[in-house]
Amino acid sequence: MNTILIAIIVVNVLISYKGFNDLSFFRKYEFHIGSIRTGEQIRLLSSGFLHADMTHLIFNMLTLWFFAPVVISYLGRFSFILVYFGSLIFGSLLTVLFHKNDYGYRAVGASGAVTGVLYSAILLQPDMMLGIFFIIPMPAYIFGILYLLYSIYGMKAKNDNIGHTAHFGGAVGGYLITLVNEPQLLVDHAFMAVLLAIPIIILFVMAKMGKL
């Protein structure tokens, strides 16, 4: 078992559990545009270790558990850490960009980091299969694309405290960091590189058209 993966999951669980039971702690470290714009940049990172509820936490940690070993085995531990934290920061920065004038905007979750790891793993091993609910077989790239399409729905609905915008920033981060590490993927897995870019392009087109 990989110690760095276990450590990240344990930290997520401990900090999230603290947030579940301590609202002042949760409010102090969640992503909040107003606070970030007044200088509390720590929230760009700390919000990635808080979760809205147990279901949100479990979903993110299970997704990480499935895909992180692929990234670690292909890129090594250091590059995995770079993908994870780089995607987290990409997700937070994209959220700031999209919501910079919404001073009341709040969000939490490791979704940015996890989506970055997900996208990285699919780029590295595009023929992966998943067992949805441990039963239904699904190609991993379809899961990744559906995950981002769900994020678009969450961004439009705006009915929860989950950082859906961070999913996209994380996907962009994981996508770019992986390709910088392994540029040969643009040749070896060219179709998958284009396919995974489609939901990201859809997001920016929708944003440009004012549909979000």
Side-chain angles (χ1 to χ4, degrees):
M1 297 179 75
N2 194 285
T3 53
I4 188 62
L5 174 57
I6 297 296
I8 287 174
I9 290 174
V10 168
V11 171
N12 268 282
V13 170
L14 291 177
I15 294 178
S16 293
Y17 184 76
K18 171 69 172 174
F20 295 155
N21 296 283
D22 186 341
L23 184 59
S24 63
F25 177 85
F26 187 91
R27 290 300 184 208
K28 182 177 181 180
Y29 293 109
E30 69 179 345
F31 188 100
H32 179 239
I33 288 290
S35 299
I36 291 168
R37 294 199 61 174
T38 58
E40 296 181 25
Q41 275 78 29
I42 186 64
R43 292 171 182 261
L44 296 171
L45 181 64
S46 62
S47 59
F49 291 90
L50 291 166
H51 287 81
D53 52 40
M54 189 61 73
T55 301
H56 186 207
L57 172 64
I58 291 172
F59 181 76
N60 272 338
M61 293 304 99
L62 276 177
T63 305
L64 183 64
W65 179 261
F66 289 138
F67 289 101
V70 176
V71 180
I72 294 168
S73 65
Y74 276 86
L75 299 182
R77 292 184 180 184
F78 176 78
S79 290
F80 165 71
I81 292 171
L82 189 62
V83 168
Y84 185 89
F85 285 97
S87 298
L88 195 165
I89 295 301
F90 263 85
S92 291
L93 292 177
L94 186 70
T95 306
V96 170
L97 178 65
F98 269 60
H99 298 279
K100 59 182 180 295
N101 295 318
D102 183 359
Y103 283 78
Y105 181 86
R106 302 173 185 273
V108 291
S111 304
V114 171
T115 309
V117 172
L118 167 68
Y119 254 54
S120 177
I122 296 170
L123 272 172
L124 292 164
Q125 192 175 315
D127 58 348
M128 279 190 300
M129 293 292 293
L130 293 180
I132 305 302
F133 303 115
F134 304 102
I135 299 174
I136 306 168
M138 176 183 288
Y141 70 88
I142 292 180
F143 175 81
I145 290 169
L146 290 176
Y147 190 73
L148 288 193
L149 292 177
Y150 165 72
S151 300
I152 290 178
Y153 165 77
M155 290 169 68
K156 286 179 67 66
K158 299 177 181 177
N159 58 4
D160 57 35
N161 200 38
I162 297 171
H164 295 288
T165 311
H167 294 184
F168 279 91
V172 172
Y175 185 85
L176 293 177
I177 293 167
T178 302
L179 291 178
V180 167
N181 269 274
E182 297 288 337
Q184 186 62 28
L185 292 171
L186 287 170
V187 176
D188 297 340
H189 300 158
F191 174 74
M192 193 58 57
V194 171
L195 192 63
L196 290 177
I198 290 173
I200 298 172
I201 293 168
I202 289 173
L203 169 78
F204 286 107
V205 169
M206 289 180 67
K208 189 72 174 177
M209 295 173 64
K211 300 295 185 181
L212 292 176

